[in-house]
Amino acid sequence: MRALRVRLTALGVVLLAGLAAPVPASAAAPTTGTVEEARLDRAAPQEILRRSGFDAVRPRFVRGLADARTYRRAEETVAREGARLWRRAVDRVQGRGPAGGDLSRDDDRPLYWARLSMTRELRSWEPEFSLSEARRSALLDRLDRTSRGQDDIGYPHGKGLKRVLVTGFDPFQLDIDVRRSNPSGAAALALDGTVVKTADGPARIEAVTFPVLWQDFGDGTVERALTGVLPRVDLFTTVSQGRVGRFDIERTNGAWRGGYPDNDNVSRTETVPVTDPATRPQWTSTTLPYARIVAADTGPFPVYDHTSVTEIPAGGTDPVVRPDGPTPGSTARAGGGGDYLSNEIAYRATLLRDRLGLHDSLPGGHVHTPVLQFADTNADPATGTVTDPEFVRNRVAIVAQLRAVVTAAL
């Protein structure tokens, strides 16, 4: 993800009315909505939900919460509806069942906005039983994980079947243009549960997505999702949107957060917070076969082995760009993927790989896709439509080439 130094702040609170009886005095008051959730009230998100049929997700979820008379029933409802949303999004993108509207099937945005419509309802829900904020947070976490496919990772048994994990991200920079899609998220939906053919036999791909939120990463969302999975796969790649008109295989990842606001307009400028910070390296590296990927004919966009980083050299005080990677003893200020959450997911996933003792046996790293752009005639968010033919063609092309990149890596 590439950072543009522009942000507008939006904040809103939407309370669920008429769902349940008044909350007992012993129950904690519901928390307010988030900046992400407040964007739901804009015209473009509502149109995306309506034109995909995902506007039906929130009412179904509300009915499920209304029937939950105990915390256990609430847990069951949240887990069921979160998993249902993920599967519905995957099925829509992969062409199973009715599209539910005229929005193109390859679109990742219905999942994003429908999830937020659910979290907003859950955040303001006043059940008949006492619900502490700790338990409400646990429900929100469960909803997030299940609706991102993180509880849905499963590989069939089969001799010679390779196992691949791909991760994607939510749309971001939405105060610049609330219509935005993220091709990495679209790719996750398109690839989840699919099989690709390689020279060494078939490979099953499982995919998950992650939020564009500093706090969630600091709370360990990446490690929780991947710790049990990495020892079982033959290759993994984290994926995010990067530079215009090109794919990049990021060679090096840095332990630094550069401060660009996330989807809740929160900034963090600090060393990447991880467990056991005493053994935290400044840099981690890809083990993807970058030379083979770059040499392969994967599609219309050029693919680069990207080696540049920004560092403070050993004994120095000022950041220096190093086109060929970090020098010994330097301090990270940007990995090849920058200093935002795309760099951080790459850093965390490859650090986890190394801490699990898999550096020499598990190919893994980060791929940056091209930026997904609207047509020139539809570039102004103030007057533009939520989609256009060029926008769709570009997303389809990026997803298809990412599939080819993964196949080449295998």
Short mmCIF file of all heavy atoms in Angstrom, two decimals, residues 153 195 224 274 382:
data_model
loop_
_atom_site.label_atom_id
_atom_site.label_comp_id
_atom_site.label_asym_id
_atom_site.label_seq_id
_atom_site.Cartn_x
_atom_site.Cartn_y
_atom_site.Cartn_z
N ILE A 153 -9.92 -22.12 6.96
CA ILE A 153 -8.75 -22.64 6.25
C ILE A 153 -8.71 -24.15 6.40
O ILE A 153 -8.60 -24.68 7.51
CB ILE A 153 -7.45 -22.02 6.78
CG1 ILE A 153 -7.49 -20.49 6.67
CG2 ILE A 153 -6.25 -22.58 6.03
CD1 ILE A 153 -6.33 -19.80 7.35
N VAL A 195 -7.96 -24.67 -7.08
CA VAL A 195 -6.79 -25.52 -7.36
C VAL A 195 -6.13 -25.03 -8.64
O VAL A 195 -6.81 -24.77 -9.65
CB VAL A 195 -7.20 -26.99 -7.51
CG1 VAL A 195 -6.01 -27.85 -7.91
CG2 VAL A 195 -7.80 -27.51 -6.20
N ARG A 224 -2.23 -14.80 15.12
CA ARG A 224 -3.31 -15.71 15.50
C ARG A 224 -3.82 -16.49 14.29
O ARG A 224 -4.12 -17.68 14.38
CB ARG A 224 -4.47 -14.96 16.15
CG ARG A 224 -4.21 -14.53 17.58
CD ARG A 224 -5.52 -14.17 18.27
NE ARG A 224 -6.28 -13.17 17.55
CZ ARG A 224 -6.13 -11.86 17.68
NH1 ARG A 224 -5.21 -11.39 18.52
NH2 ARG A 224 -6.87 -11.02 17.00
N VAL A 274 5.93 -6.51 18.47
CA VAL A 274 5.76 -7.96 18.38
C VAL A 274 6.09 -8.57 19.74
O VAL A 274 6.67 -7.92 20.62
CB VAL A 274 6.69 -8.58 17.31
CG1 VAL A 274 6.33 -8.07 15.93
CG2 VAL A 274 8.15 -8.30 17.62
N ALA A 382 -16.37 12.73 -6.54
CA ALA A 382 -17.52 13.60 -6.29
C ALA A 382 -18.60 13.43 -7.35
O ALA A 382 -19.79 13.64 -7.08
CB ALA A 382 -17.08 15.06 -6.23
#
